[in-house]
Amino acid sequence: MTGDLPTSELLTHGEKLLGWIAEYLQHPERFPVVSPVAPGEVRASLPAAPPESGESLERIIADFEQKILPGITHWNHPGFFAYFSISSSIPGILAELLIAALDVNAMLWKTSPAATELEQVAMDWLRQLLGMGEGWFGIINDTASISTMLALAAAREAKPELQIRARGMAGRSDLPVMRVYCSEHAHSSVDKGALALGFGLDNVVKIASDDEFRMRPGALAAAVRADRNAGMLPIACVATVGTTSTTSIDPVDEIAEICGIEEMWLHVDGSYGGVAAVSPRYRHVLRGVERADSLVVNPHKWLFTPIDCSAFYTRRPDVLKRAFSLVPEYLVTREQDEVVNLMDYGVQLGRRFRALKLWMVMRAFGADGLASRIERHCELARMFEHWVAADPDWELSAPVTFSLVCFRYAPSGLSEPERDRANAEILQRVNASGEVYLSHTKLNGVYVLRLAVGNIRTEERHVARAWELLREASVSYSSD
Ligand SMILES: Cc1ncc(COP(=O)(O)O)c(C=O)c1O
């Protein structure tokens, strides 16, 4: 047999699957939020080799329900409070269907003009929603990790005298050691970017933070000075708006001042926290960003767009293009000097049509709808914060800036190591309930629990249930 399946199959199974999705989104709580399967269980339930001849979609979908679903951890569950809670939304899901149907590769303007131009429109709309001024060029990447790596590559290219593009770095005694700076609370993607680009992990300098987990600009200035005195070359600084452990906000304005003086590229990682600026109440979180060279925010984290969708902005697209543009004959097009060809701004050639989902999400919710959802999540987090603060056996571990609460069980009478053990065990028990999923981090060396509100379907009752489960687990742990 050749060719695709008949479109009647699409209609029959498409209708059924849409029904399944509607039911799933309406009642996600019928599934345990964390998959209870043991390592290897899903794999063992599946044939080791592919089928010799095609199978019916009915059978495949039945296996999806029976064998794959039990191994799914439900990020779209309203009780998902771990890491940064993300969620897709109905406009985003419908967009993904269209994206798959069109199967556009937006590598060149010519290979789908609307994909390139909609990406520019969507990125410009998002810029306006975030309250950012003009003068930014935006592209959509898969993840913030890749966006940050591109920023570091551009930072290096911003010093053309190094001739990295042509000559690389290996075996060159004429090159100084290049340094990248970020706070000790920056995401590990900064290290990975430095690793991929050959800066070396030892050259990612972790700047100390204050007691609210924000980078200390004075410590940054001192570190840069010391490195210069040692003959090294400061290349870039990554400031974070919404750090992963606590959502602290680095003082971007003051960091920008130092970057200006030291001629370093300033990249702002606002992957999670940056999107809060769609609410006028949180617009201030991007203060100072207008002085940065680049910024990343992730609509797939907290703007209800299905993963993946990472919005990368730079005020210096010419530098980014210089770092990556390379046009072999087979990719030459007539209009290449008049249009944006997205392949020029990164490593990848092939590119998904992600702009469609971001555009559909922004249109379906509007500026007001996005802002009110973000604000509601922050209110729910503050509610939880008050419950924790009011209970003498529990304590808050960091200021609540957005919709994340860091806290711990800390009854008097338990030593610090005992408290660490108690919190790890409480987390284990609460997550085993199947009703909620929280995660943890370490702050100042102690084990801390994290409750991140970010799912579009999370309501007060889900947050209240999490608090109830936590308290029950603490009581049962203490009486064991
Ligand atoms: C501050 C920050 N930056 C970067 C990332 C990495 O994001 P991505 O998964 O899009 O690479 C995260 C992930 O949580 C994050 O919290």
Side-chain angles (χ1 to χ4, degrees):
M1 196 167 155
T2 55
D4 198 358
L5 300 182
T7 47
S8 56
E9 293 274 298
L10 176 68
L11 292 173
T12 312
H13 296 287
E15 199 175 321
K16 272 196 227 149
L17 279 186
L18 278 182
W20 188 92
I21 292 169
E23 171 70 15
Y24 175 70
L25 295 180
Q26 208 159 3
H27 302 291
E29 287 147 276
R30 70 198 152 102
F31 296 104
V33 55
V34 184
S35 166
V37 298
E41 207 176 312
V42 174
R43 191 166 180 185
S45 75
L46 299 168
E52 199 57 52
S53 31
E55 298 183 75
S56 72
L57 285 176
E58 242 134 23
R59 270 198 71 182
I60 301 168
I61 293 167
D63 275 356
F64 162 74
E65 290 212 60
Q66 286 156 23
K67 298 180 175 169
I68 309 298
L69 259 185
I72 293 293
T73 286
H74 293 276
W75 288 71
N76 254 344
H77 190 295
F80 191 110
F81 298 113
Y83 308 105
F84 283 129
S85 167
I86 64 174
S87 52
S88 60
S89 58
I90 288 168
I93 293 167
L94 291 174
E96 286 284 19
L97 206 60
L98 288 174
I99 292 166
L102 294 173
D103 203 26
V104 152
N105 185 337
M107 59 194 197
L108 298 165
W109 177 88
K110 182 77 179 173
T111 60
S112 210
T116 298
E117 295 189 18
L118 190 64
E119 187 153 327
Q120 293 176 293
V121 169
M123 289 296 284
D124 197 55
W125 282 16
L126 180 60
R127 171 191 68 75
Q128 294 175 51
L129 285 177
L130 296 173
M132 287 156 56
E134 294 192 353
W136 293 90
F137 169 87
I139 56 168
I140 303 180
N141 294 315
D142 54 356
T143 56
S145 304
I146 295 301
S147 299
T148 293
M149 187 192 75
L150 297 184
L152 295 180
R156 191 172 59 181
E157 188 58 36
K159 303 204 178 294
E161 66 280 9
L162 299 174
Q163 298 181 308
I164 303 293
R165 184 184 157 104
R167 299 176 56 202
M169 289 166 68
R172 286 183 58 186
S173 55
D174 62 319
L175 279 185
V177 171
M178 291 171 226
R179 305 282 264 183
V180 172
Y181 306 83
C182 61
S183 109
E184 56 189 340
H185 286 280
H187 189 260
S188 54
S189 52
V190 181
D191 302 80
K192 282 210 179 178
L195 210 147
L197 293 165
F199 288 122
L201 285 180
D202 290 351
N203 293 311
V204 181
V205 185
K206 300 292 167 66
I207 304 299
S209 51
D210 63 16
D211 52 11
E212 293 195 2
F213 311 104
R214 301 169 297 201
M215 189 195 291
R216 288 179 190 275
L220 171 66
V224 172
R225 219 175 304 125
D227 284 353
R228 280 210 192 279
N229 288 341
M232 300 193 236
L233 181 64
I235 289 277
C237 179
V238 180
T240 311
V241 171
T243 55
T244 312
S245 281
T246 72
T247 67
S248 59
I249 303 177
D250 287 338
V252 176
D253 239 336
E254 290 166 73
I255 294 169
E257 190 68 28
I258 297 166
C259 289
I261 294 167
E262 298 291 350
E263 296 180 351
M264 290 191 289
W265 184 284
L266 173 57
H267 174 62
V268 177
D269 177 358
S271 328
Y272 158 79
V275 295
V278 300
S279 155
R281 272 192 226 166
Y282 290 91
R283 192 128 307 156
H284 62 274
V285 303
L286 289 184
R287 195 165 37 224
V289 161
E290 67 282 357
R291 300 172 70 186
D293 298 284
S294 55
L295 163 75
V296 58
V297 298
N298 272 6
H300 78 224
K301 271 202 187 358
W302 200 13
L303 220 51
F304 322 120
T305 310
I307 192 166
D308 52 4
C309 187
S310 175
F312 178 55
Y313 291 96
T314 177
R315 291 197 300 107
R316 303 171 71 184
D318 48 321
V319 180
L320 182 63
K321 189 173 175 181
R322 210 166 63 214
F324 289 111
S325 178
L326 206 151
V327 188
E329 183 53 37
Y330 43 82
L331 294 174
V332 169
T333 57
R334 274 191 181 189
E335 56 286 300
Q336 64 188 21
D337 296 331
E338 323 155 35
V339 297
V340 166
N341 281 327
L342 292 167
M343 69 158 186
D344 286 336
Y345 298 91
V347 177
Q348 66 181 95
L349 172 62
R351 175 174 288 269
R352 299 186 67 224
F353 185 12
R354 299 186 190 95
L356 189 64
K357 55 184 169 176
L358 179 57
W359 181 69
M360 284 180 60
V361 166
M362 287 189 289
R363 287 191 68 173
F365 294 120
D368 284 354
L370 292 172
S372 58
R373 285 170 174 83
I374 296 271
E375 287 162 12
R376 181 66 186 146
H377 290 167
C378 296
E379 278 163 20
L380 290 175
R382 265 194 303 277
M383 206 176 285
F384 185 86
E385 177 192 14
H386 291 313
W387 297 335
V388 173
D391 191 319
D393 285 342
W394 294 77
E395 69 182 20
L396 294 161
S397 309
V400 177
T401 323
F402 297 99
S403 66
L404 169 75
V405 187
C406 291
F407 63 102
R408 64 200 288 254
Y409 180 56
S412 56
L414 285 193
S415 67
E416 284 304 338
E418 284 167 341
R419 286 175 171 182
D420 278 3
R421 272 197 297 281
N423 281 282
E425 184 55 32
I426 288 169
L427 182 65
Q428 176 68 23
R429 291 181 187 193
V430 162
N431 288 346
S433 71
E435 292 186 65
V436 296
Y437 184 18
L438 279 74
S439 60
H440 79 281
T441 189
K442 274 199 168 171
L443 296 175
N444 299 322
V446 303
Y447 193 97
V448 162
L449 305 180
R450 291 169 78 264
L451 177 130
V453 184
N455 188 287
I456 197 165
R457 287 166 202 90
T458 297
E459 297 168 19
E460 181 178 337
R461 65 190 169 94
H462 302 109
V463 183
R465 181 66 184 143
W467 181 226
E468 198 174 24
L469 287 166
L470 283 158
R471 293 211 297 181
E472 281 170 17
S474 70
V475 170
S476 75
Y477 176 80
S478 304
S479 56
D480 274 356

Short mmCIF file of all heavy atoms in Angstrom, two decimals, residues 263-301:
data_model
loop_
_atom_site.label_atom_id
_atom_site.label_comp_id
_atom_site.label_asym_id
_atom_site.label_seq_id
_atom_site.Cartn_x
_atom_site.Cartn_y
_atom_site.Cartn_z
N GLU A 263 31.47 46.78 28.67
CA GLU A 263 31.24 46.31 27.28
C GLU A 263 30.95 44.81 27.24
O GLU A 263 31.54 44.05 26.47
CB GLU A 263 32.42 46.68 26.38
CG GLU A 263 32.55 48.19 26.27
CD GLU A 263 33.71 48.62 25.39
OE1 GLU A 263 34.52 47.76 25.00
OE2 GLU A 263 33.78 49.81 25.08
N MET A 264 30.06 44.41 28.14
CA MET A 264 29.62 43.01 28.15
C MET A 264 28.19 42.95 27.62
O MET A 264 27.39 43.85 27.87
CB MET A 264 29.58 42.46 29.59
CG MET A 264 30.92 42.27 30.22
SD MET A 264 30.70 41.33 31.76
CE MET A 264 29.91 42.50 32.82
N TRP A 265 27.87 41.86 26.98
CA TRP A 265 26.51 41.62 26.50
C TRP A 265 25.64 41.31 27.72
O TRP A 265 26.01 40.49 28.56
CB TRP A 265 26.54 40.43 25.55
CG TRP A 265 25.25 40.08 24.89
CD1 TRP A 265 24.18 39.45 25.44
CD2 TRP A 265 24.90 40.30 23.51
NE1 TRP A 265 23.19 39.25 24.50
CE2 TRP A 265 23.60 39.78 23.31
CE3 TRP A 265 25.56 40.89 22.43
CZ2 TRP A 265 22.95 39.82 22.07
CZ3 TRP A 265 24.91 40.93 21.20
CH2 TRP A 265 23.62 40.41 21.03
N LEU A 266 24.48 41.94 27.80
CA LEU A 266 23.56 41.61 28.89
C LEU A 266 22.38 40.82 28.35
O LEU A 266 21.62 41.30 27.50
CB LEU A 266 23.06 42.89 29.58
CG LEU A 266 21.95 42.67 30.64
CD1 LEU A 266 22.38 41.71 31.73
CD2 LEU A 266 21.52 44.01 31.25
N HIS A 267 22.28 39.59 28.82
CA HIS A 267 21.13 38.74 28.46
C HIS A 267 20.26 38.60 29.70
O HIS A 267 20.76 38.33 30.79
CB HIS A 267 21.65 37.37 28.01
CG HIS A 267 20.56 36.37 27.74
ND1 HIS A 267 19.60 36.56 26.77
CD2 HIS A 267 20.26 35.18 28.34
CE1 HIS A 267 18.77 35.52 26.75
NE2 HIS A 267 19.14 34.67 27.70
N VAL A 268 18.96 38.76 29.53
CA VAL A 268 18.03 38.61 30.65
C VAL A 268 17.24 37.32 30.46
O VAL A 268 16.59 37.12 29.44
CB VAL A 268 17.09 39.82 30.77
CG1 VAL A 268 16.08 39.60 31.90
CG2 VAL A 268 17.89 41.10 31.02
N ASP A 269 17.33 36.46 31.46
CA ASP A 269 16.57 35.21 31.44
C ASP A 269 15.28 35.43 32.23
O ASP A 269 15.27 35.36 33.46
CB ASP A 269 17.41 34.08 32.05
CG ASP A 269 16.63 32.77 32.13
OD1 ASP A 269 15.45 32.75 31.75
OD2 ASP A 269 17.22 31.76 32.57
N GLY A 270 14.22 35.71 31.49
CA GLY A 270 12.90 35.89 32.12
C GLY A 270 11.99 34.75 31.71
O GLY A 270 10.79 34.95 31.55
N SER A 271 12.58 33.56 31.54
CA SER A 271 11.81 32.43 30.99
C SER A 271 10.48 32.25 31.68
O SER A 271 9.45 32.09 31.06
CB SER A 271 12.53 31.11 31.12
OG SER A 271 13.86 31.23 31.04
N TYR A 272 10.52 32.23 33.02
CA TYR A 272 9.26 32.08 33.75
C TYR A 272 8.70 33.46 34.13
O TYR A 272 7.59 33.81 33.75
CB TYR A 272 9.48 31.22 35.00
CG TYR A 272 8.42 31.43 36.06
CD1 TYR A 272 7.18 30.83 35.93
CD2 TYR A 272 8.66 32.26 37.15
CE1 TYR A 272 6.18 31.05 36.89
CE2 TYR A 272 7.68 32.48 38.11
CZ TYR A 272 6.45 31.88 37.97
OH TYR A 272 5.48 32.12 38.91
N GLY A 273 9.48 34.24 34.86
CA GLY A 273 8.96 35.47 35.47
C GLY A 273 8.66 36.58 34.48
O GLY A 273 7.75 37.39 34.70
N GLY A 274 9.38 36.61 33.38
CA GLY A 274 9.23 37.71 32.42
C GLY A 274 7.82 37.84 31.88
O GLY A 274 7.33 38.97 31.67
N VAL A 275 7.14 36.72 31.70
CA VAL A 275 5.79 36.80 31.10
C VAL A 275 4.80 37.49 32.03
O VAL A 275 3.75 37.96 31.57
CB VAL A 275 5.23 35.42 30.67
CG1 VAL A 275 6.03 34.82 29.56
CG2 VAL A 275 5.13 34.48 31.84
N ALA A 276 5.13 37.56 33.33
CA ALA A 276 4.21 38.23 34.25
C ALA A 276 3.99 39.69 33.85
O ALA A 276 2.97 40.30 34.22
CB ALA A 276 4.74 38.15 35.68
N ALA A 277 4.93 40.24 33.09
CA ALA A 277 4.80 41.64 32.68
C ALA A 277 3.59 41.88 31.76
O ALA A 277 3.24 43.02 31.48
CB ALA A 277 6.09 42.11 32.00
N VAL A 278 2.92 40.82 31.32
CA VAL A 278 1.68 41.04 30.55
C VAL A 278 0.62 41.67 31.46
O VAL A 278 -0.34 42.26 30.96
CB VAL A 278 1.09 39.76 29.90
CG1 VAL A 278 2.08 39.12 28.93
CG2 VAL A 278 0.62 38.75 30.92
N SER A 279 0.80 41.55 32.77
CA SER A 279 -0.12 42.21 33.70
C SER A 279 0.48 43.56 34.08
O SER A 279 1.62 43.61 34.54
CB SER A 279 -0.30 41.36 34.95
OG SER A 279 -0.69 42.18 36.04
N PRO A 280 -0.30 44.63 33.95
CA PRO A 280 0.24 45.93 34.35
C PRO A 280 0.73 45.92 35.80
O PRO A 280 1.67 46.62 36.14
CB PRO A 280 -0.96 46.88 34.17
CG PRO A 280 -1.82 46.19 33.16
CD PRO A 280 -1.64 44.72 33.36
N ARG A 281 0.14 45.07 36.65
CA ARG A 281 0.58 44.98 38.05
C ARG A 281 2.01 44.47 38.17
O ARG A 281 2.67 44.70 39.16
CB ARG A 281 -0.30 43.98 38.81
CG ARG A 281 -1.52 44.59 39.39
CD ARG A 281 -2.13 43.58 40.36
NE ARG A 281 -3.55 43.50 40.12
CZ ARG A 281 -4.34 42.55 40.59
NH1 ARG A 281 -3.83 41.58 41.31
NH2 ARG A 281 -5.62 42.56 40.32
N TYR A 282 2.44 43.70 37.17
CA TYR A 282 3.78 43.09 37.25
C TYR A 282 4.74 43.65 36.19
O TYR A 282 5.81 43.12 36.01
CB TYR A 282 3.68 41.56 37.12
CG TYR A 282 3.05 40.95 38.34
CD1 TYR A 282 1.67 40.77 38.40
CD2 TYR A 282 3.82 40.63 39.45
CE1 TYR A 282 1.07 40.25 39.55
CE2 TYR A 282 3.23 40.12 40.59
CZ TYR A 282 1.86 39.93 40.64
OH TYR A 282 1.28 39.43 41.77
N ARG A 283 4.31 44.71 35.52
CA ARG A 283 5.14 45.25 34.44
C ARG A 283 6.53 45.62 34.94
O ARG A 283 7.52 45.49 34.22
CB ARG A 283 4.43 46.48 33.85
CG ARG A 283 5.04 46.93 32.58
CD ARG A 283 4.09 47.10 31.43
NE ARG A 283 3.25 45.97 31.11
CZ ARG A 283 2.09 46.07 30.48
NH1 ARG A 283 1.65 47.25 30.14
NH2 ARG A 283 1.38 45.00 30.20
N HIS A 284 6.60 46.06 36.19
CA HIS A 284 7.88 46.51 36.75
C HIS A 284 8.95 45.41 36.74
O HIS A 284 10.13 45.70 36.85
CB HIS A 284 7.68 47.02 38.18
CG HIS A 284 7.18 45.94 39.11
ND1 HIS A 284 5.85 45.64 39.25
CD2 HIS A 284 7.84 45.07 39.90
CE1 HIS A 284 5.71 44.64 40.10
NE2 HIS A 284 6.91 44.27 40.51
N VAL A 285 8.56 44.14 36.62
CA VAL A 285 9.57 43.08 36.73
C VAL A 285 10.57 43.15 35.57
O VAL A 285 11.67 42.62 35.68
CB VAL A 285 8.96 41.65 36.83
CG1 VAL A 285 8.01 41.56 38.01
CG2 VAL A 285 8.29 41.21 35.55
N LEU A 286 10.16 43.79 34.49
CA LEU A 286 11.11 43.91 33.36
C LEU A 286 11.83 45.26 33.35
O LEU A 286 12.44 45.64 32.35
CB LEU A 286 10.38 43.68 32.03
CG LEU A 286 9.94 42.23 31.75
CD1 LEU A 286 9.31 42.11 30.36
CD2 LEU A 286 11.10 41.25 31.87
N ARG A 287 11.76 45.96 34.50
CA ARG A 287 12.44 47.25 34.55
C ARG A 287 13.94 47.04 34.26
O ARG A 287 14.56 46.14 34.79
CB ARG A 287 12.26 47.89 35.93
CG ARG A 287 12.62 49.34 35.95
CD ARG A 287 12.13 50.08 37.16
NE ARG A 287 12.19 49.28 38.38
CZ ARG A 287 11.22 49.23 39.28
NH1 ARG A 287 10.12 49.92 39.13
NH2 ARG A 287 11.35 48.50 40.37
N GLY A 288 14.48 47.87 33.38
CA GLY A 288 15.90 47.76 33.07
C GLY A 288 16.17 46.93 31.82
O GLY A 288 17.25 47.00 31.23
N VAL A 289 15.16 46.14 31.41
CA VAL A 289 15.37 45.24 30.27
C VAL A 289 15.62 46.03 28.98
O VAL A 289 16.33 45.55 28.08
CB VAL A 289 14.18 44.26 30.13
CG1 VAL A 289 14.10 43.66 28.75
CG2 VAL A 289 14.30 43.16 31.18
N GLU A 290 15.11 47.25 28.93
CA GLU A 290 15.33 48.06 27.72
C GLU A 290 16.83 48.33 27.52
O GLU A 290 17.25 48.70 26.43
CB GLU A 290 14.52 49.36 27.76
CG GLU A 290 14.92 50.39 28.81
CD GLU A 290 14.42 50.05 30.22
OE1 GLU A 290 13.70 49.05 30.38
OE2 GLU A 290 14.79 50.78 31.16
N ARG A 291 17.63 48.10 28.55
CA ARG A 291 19.08 48.33 28.41
C ARG A 291 19.82 47.02 28.10
O ARG A 291 21.04 47.02 27.97
CB ARG A 291 19.63 48.94 29.70
CG ARG A 291 18.98 50.27 30.02
CD ARG A 291 19.38 50.77 31.38
NE ARG A 291 20.77 51.19 31.42
CZ ARG A 291 21.40 51.57 32.53
NH1 ARG A 291 20.75 51.54 33.69
NH2 ARG A 291 22.66 51.94 32.49
N ALA A 292 19.07 45.92 28.01
CA ALA A 292 19.72 44.62 27.76
C ALA A 292 19.93 44.43 26.26
O ALA A 292 19.31 45.09 25.42
CB ALA A 292 18.86 43.50 28.31
N ASP A 293 20.82 43.50 25.94
CA ASP A 293 21.05 43.15 24.53
C ASP A 293 20.10 42.06 24.08
O ASP A 293 19.80 41.95 22.90
CB ASP A 293 22.50 42.67 24.35
CG ASP A 293 23.49 43.76 24.70
OD1 ASP A 293 23.65 44.67 23.88
OD2 ASP A 293 24.05 43.74 25.81
N SER A 294 19.70 41.22 25.02
CA SER A 294 18.76 40.15 24.65
C SER A 294 17.94 39.73 25.86
O SER A 294 18.31 40.01 27.01
CB SER A 294 19.52 38.95 24.06
OG SER A 294 20.51 38.49 24.95
N LEU A 295 16.85 39.06 25.55
CA LEU A 295 15.90 38.64 26.59
C LEU A 295 15.22 37.37 26.12
O LEU A 295 14.93 37.22 24.93
CB LEU A 295 14.82 39.73 26.74
CG LEU A 295 13.52 39.34 27.47
CD1 LEU A 295 13.76 39.23 28.98
CD2 LEU A 295 12.42 40.36 27.21
N VAL A 296 14.98 36.46 27.08
CA VAL A 296 14.14 35.31 26.73
C VAL A 296 12.98 35.24 27.71
O VAL A 296 13.14 35.43 28.91
CB VAL A 296 14.95 33.98 26.71
CG1 VAL A 296 15.63 33.67 28.03
CG2 VAL A 296 14.04 32.82 26.32
N VAL A 297 11.78 35.01 27.16
CA VAL A 297 10.61 34.68 27.98
C VAL A 297 9.96 33.46 27.34
O VAL A 297 10.02 33.29 26.12
CB VAL A 297 9.58 35.84 28.07
CG1 VAL A 297 10.16 37.07 28.71
CG2 VAL A 297 9.00 36.19 26.70
N ASN A 298 9.36 32.61 28.17
CA ASN A 298 8.81 31.36 27.63
C ASN A 298 7.29 31.34 27.68
O ASN A 298 6.72 31.05 28.74
CB ASN A 298 9.31 30.18 28.47
CG ASN A 298 10.62 29.62 27.98
OD1 ASN A 298 11.24 30.16 27.08
ND2 ASN A 298 11.04 28.52 28.58
N PRO A 299 6.62 31.59 26.57
CA PRO A 299 5.16 31.42 26.58
C PRO A 299 4.76 29.99 26.94
O PRO A 299 3.66 29.76 27.42
CB PRO A 299 4.75 31.77 25.14
CG PRO A 299 5.81 32.73 24.70
CD PRO A 299 7.08 32.22 25.33
N HIS A 300 5.67 29.02 26.74
CA HIS A 300 5.29 27.66 27.12
C HIS A 300 5.38 27.43 28.63
O HIS A 300 4.98 26.39 29.12
CB HIS A 300 6.05 26.60 26.31
CG HIS A 300 7.47 26.31 26.73
ND1 HIS A 300 8.49 26.17 25.83
CD2 HIS A 300 8.04 26.10 27.93
CE1 HIS A 300 9.61 25.90 26.46
NE2 HIS A 300 9.37 25.86 27.74
N LYS A 301 5.95 28.38 29.35
CA LYS A 301 5.99 28.20 30.80
C LYS A 301 4.74 28.77 31.46
O LYS A 301 4.10 28.11 32.26
CB LYS A 301 7.23 28.90 31.38
CG LYS A 301 8.47 28.02 31.42
CD LYS A 301 9.45 28.55 32.44
CE LYS A 301 10.79 27.85 32.46
NZ LYS A 301 11.04 26.76 31.57
#
